[in-house]
């Protein structure tokens, strides 16, 4: 393992060991409390532009495989772990985590106190950092960080969105047969790709929807034409990376879809963009919600669901002026789900496809199909 040097915008300088790719990378550091699913996290496009600190100390134990990829590659700037296991033991393993990171040009950082980093982020909030296997001078790293754009200044969805439309043909993965189920569909939807996860697509098709994934650049006029021509029944707005407030074109597009009464369902970034399109700007949480253990209450049934989460931004409380709150986070009482009053539109902040995590929120996909 090579030496890697880290410099944080609060002035902290640390040294550790590297695995995976080499080089220099700048991004925002967050922490994730999931006990399992490191490959799903690494390949989630919503982490584009970020370093992920794992609170689970042992990472790499089960290796990586194609079936657990949430997208076609890895999108985070790097991962930070207490102890990396270079010799995985699992019958599904096809390559090590280090091999995946090297292939995807993602830094791996280990032999570092992740408890300390997590407490620092809890107390001071998410912050920018730089990590390098090439530069080890503190003043040089500081200069690199100061001259780099912040995550809220970069439109990462242009990097992670699909370039060409495609039809998703898989449904939910069956852990007993180790195969994907074949979908039986009754509705057709378009999924606007802001950084969509594979398992979200699996759950949409499992719930009975034929899904055509399209680039984030598809115009509102083309989508509305397909809806009025009965080529589609609704639109899904996907998860994705970065600050939703800078996505002006997407906001305007969604406003037009709302005015045209196109049925809409948003998850994570899609949830946030729907709020902004209704005139209610999002705000940034201190250190975000990243993990697989967040209790969310369904306000209609009183049921508490344990959810997977990955977001730094949240919708404001006064959105109740135009929408009914359907889900609440029991950690901090932030809004987790909405159904709007003026249009057939629903959204959730958490990830009901829950990979990693339980399946108790998967009914939300069925609710969308029923709304269609």
């Amino acid at each position: 393992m090579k030496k890697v040097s880290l410099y944080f915008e609060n002035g902290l300088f640390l040294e550790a060991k590297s695995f995976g790719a080499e080089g220099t990378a700048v991004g925002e550091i967050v922490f994730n409390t999931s006990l399992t699913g490191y490959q799903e996290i690494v390949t989630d496009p919503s982490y584009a532009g970020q370093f992920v600190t794992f609170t689970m100390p042992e990472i790499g134990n089960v290796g990586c495989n194609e079936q657990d990829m949430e997208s076609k590659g890895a999108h985070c700037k790097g991962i930070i772990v207490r102890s990396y296991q270079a010799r995985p033991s699992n019958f599904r393993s096809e390559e090590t985590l280090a091999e995946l990171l090297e292939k995807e040009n993602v830094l791996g950082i280990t032999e570092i106190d992740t408890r300390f980093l997590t407490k620092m982020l809890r107390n001071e909030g998410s912050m920018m950092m730089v990590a390098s296997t090439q530069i080890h001078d503190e003043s040089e790293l500081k200069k690199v960080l100061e001259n780099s754009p912040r995550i809220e200044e970069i439109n990462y969805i242009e990097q992670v969105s699909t370039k060409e439309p495609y039809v998703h043909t898989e449904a939910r993965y069956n852990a007993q047969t180790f195969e994907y189920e074949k979908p039986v569909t009754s509705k057709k939807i378009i999924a606007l790709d802001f950084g969509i996860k594979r398992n979200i697509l699996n759950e949409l098709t499992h719930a009975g929807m034929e899904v055509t994934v399209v680039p984030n650049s598809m115009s509102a006029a083309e989508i509305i034409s397909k809806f009025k021509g009965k080529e589609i029944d609704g639109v899904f707005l996907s998860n994705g990376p970065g600050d939703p407030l800078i996505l002006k074109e997407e906001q305007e597009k969604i406003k037009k879809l709302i005015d045209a009464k196109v049925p809409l369902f948003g998850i994570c970034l899609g949830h946030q963009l729907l709020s902004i399109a209704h005139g209610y700007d999002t705000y940034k949480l201190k250190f975000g919600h990243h993990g697989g253990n967040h209790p969310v209450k369904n306000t209609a049934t009183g049921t508490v669901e344990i959810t997977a989460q990955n977001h730094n931004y949240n919708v404001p409380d006064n959105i109740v002026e135009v929408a009914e709150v359907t889900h609440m986070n029991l950690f901090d009482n932030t809004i987790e789900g909405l159904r709007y009053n003026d249009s057939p539109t629903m959204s959730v902040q958490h990830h009901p496809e829950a990979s990693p995590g339980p399946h108790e929120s998967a009914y939300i996909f069925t609710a969308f199909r029923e709304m269609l």
Side-chain angles (χ1 to χ4, degrees):
M1 291 183 179
K2 280 194 169 185
K3 181 171 79 170
V4 58
S5 298
L6 294 74
Y7 182 83
F8 303 82
E9 69 173 306
N10 65 354
L12 178 68
F13 175 75
L14 297 173
E15 292 182 346
K17 298 293 185 182
S18 75
F19 65 99
E22 299 177 9
T24 302
V26 176
E28 181 183 51
I29 178 173
V30 297
F31 65 86
N32 187 297
T33 58
S34 294
L35 299 179
T36 61
Y38 57 79
Q39 184 183 347
E40 290 90 339
I41 292 164
V42 168
T43 57
D44 180 352
S46 296
Y47 280 110
Q50 293 180 320
F51 285 88
V52 184
T53 302
F54 287 89
T55 60
M56 178 66 179
E58 293 287 337
I59 297 293
N61 304 55
V62 295
C64 298
N65 63 79
E66 194 281 329
Q67 288 173 329
D68 289 343
M69 297 286 286
E70 283 288 9
S71 64
K72 292 181 179 179
H75 305 277
C76 55
K77 292 287 186 175
I79 65 170
I80 305 173
V81 306
R82 177 66 188 92
S83 177
Y84 169 64
Q85 176 52 257
R87 294 182 295 173
S89 176
N90 188 279
F91 74 99
R92 296 175 68 230
S93 179
E94 296 168 358
E95 62 181 345
T96 66
L97 177 57
E99 289 170 335
L100 174 64
L101 296 183
E102 186 174 7
K103 184 171 61 181
E104 298 295 332
N105 197 32
V106 173
L107 289 172
I109 300 166
T110 187
E111 296 188 21
I112 192 168
D113 189 346
T114 51
R115 285 173 63 91
F116 167 79
L117 289 177
T118 301
K119 290 178 181 179
M120 179 183 76
L121 297 174
R122 180 193 65 189
N123 296 333
E124 300 183 39
S126 302
M127 63 183 72
M128 296 295 291
M129 64 164 282
V130 57
S132 180
T133 59
Q134 303 162 324
I135 306 170
H136 302 290
D137 179 77
E138 181 178 346
S139 60
E140 283 297 312
L141 288 172
K142 180 181 180 182
K143 195 178 300 182
V144 170
L145 184 59
E146 290 175 344
N147 292 327
S148 299
R150 300 183 64 83
I151 190 170
E152 57 266 24
E153 299 170 351
I154 304 173
N155 184 344
Y156 277 106
I157 66 171
E158 293 179 347
Q159 299 178 22
V160 301
S161 179
T162 183
K163 305 306 177 190
E164 299 292 336
Y166 64 92
V167 177
H168 186 74
T169 57
E170 298 171 344
R172 185 181 289 175
Y173 181 70
N174 189 315
Q176 277 70 50
T177 63
F178 305 113
E179 294 178 348
Y180 288 97
E181 300 169 357
K182 297 298 181 185
V184 178
T185 59
S186 58
K187 298 292 181 182
K188 293 185 178 183
I189 65 169
I190 276 177
L192 268 173
D193 183 7
F194 305 138
I196 200 163
K197 293 171 67 177
R198 180 183 186 179
N199 217 40
I200 287 178
L201 293 171
N202 292 346
E203 290 296 330
L204 286 167
T205 54
H206 181 81
M209 289 165 276
E210 180 183 304
V211 186
T212 301
V213 184
V214 301
N216 67 296
S217 57
M218 178 177 274
S219 69
E222 187 175 354
I223 296 172
I224 292 168
S225 174
K226 289 180 180 295
F227 173 66
K228 290 185 175 179
K230 301 191 184 302
E231 294 178 55
I232 61 169
D233 299 293
V235 173
F236 172 72
L237 307 173
S238 86
N239 61 294
D243 187 343
L245 288 175
I246 71 170
L247 304 177
K248 302 302 182 184
E249 291 183 11
E250 285 71 22
Q251 295 164 23
E252 290 303 314
K253 184 184 305 182
I254 293 169
K255 286 178 185 177
K256 292 175 182 177
L257 297 179
I258 293 169
D259 291 341
K261 301 297 182 184
V262 177
L264 301 171
F265 173 38
I267 287 179
C268 204
L269 180 63
H271 167 80
Q272 297 159 12
L273 286 169
L274 281 167
S275 174
I276 298 168
H278 279 86
Y280 295 82
D281 285 355
T282 53
Y283 65 95
K284 190 170 186 177
L285 296 164
K286 184 177 181 181
F287 46 79
H289 296 166
H290 310 277
N293 61 342
H294 285 245
V296 167
K297 183 177 181 179
N298 181 316
T299 59
T301 65
T303 303
V304 176
E305 305 157 18
I306 303 302
T307 68
Q309 308 231 355
N310 174 23
H311 61 279
N312 271 3
Y313 301 90
N314 216 70
V315 304
D317 291 342
N318 63 341
I319 200 167
V320 295
E321 297 169 353
V322 296
E324 172 193 359
V325 176
T326 58
H327 298 81
M328 292 290 294
N329 188 301
L330 297 185
F331 276 161
D332 58 8
N333 292 319
T334 52
I335 294 171
E336 289 280 352
L338 295 165
R339 187 178 286 265
Y340 286 86
N341 303 329
D342 64 345
S343 63
T345 301
M346 57 184 283
S347 64
V348 290
Q349 181 60 76
H350 56 283
H351 283 265
E353 80 284 358
S355 181
H359 289 284
E360 55 204 41
S361 296
Y363 67 89
I364 292 171
F365 294 98
T366 303
F368 176 47
R369 189 204 66 221
E370 292 172 350
M371 186 180 78
L372 297 178

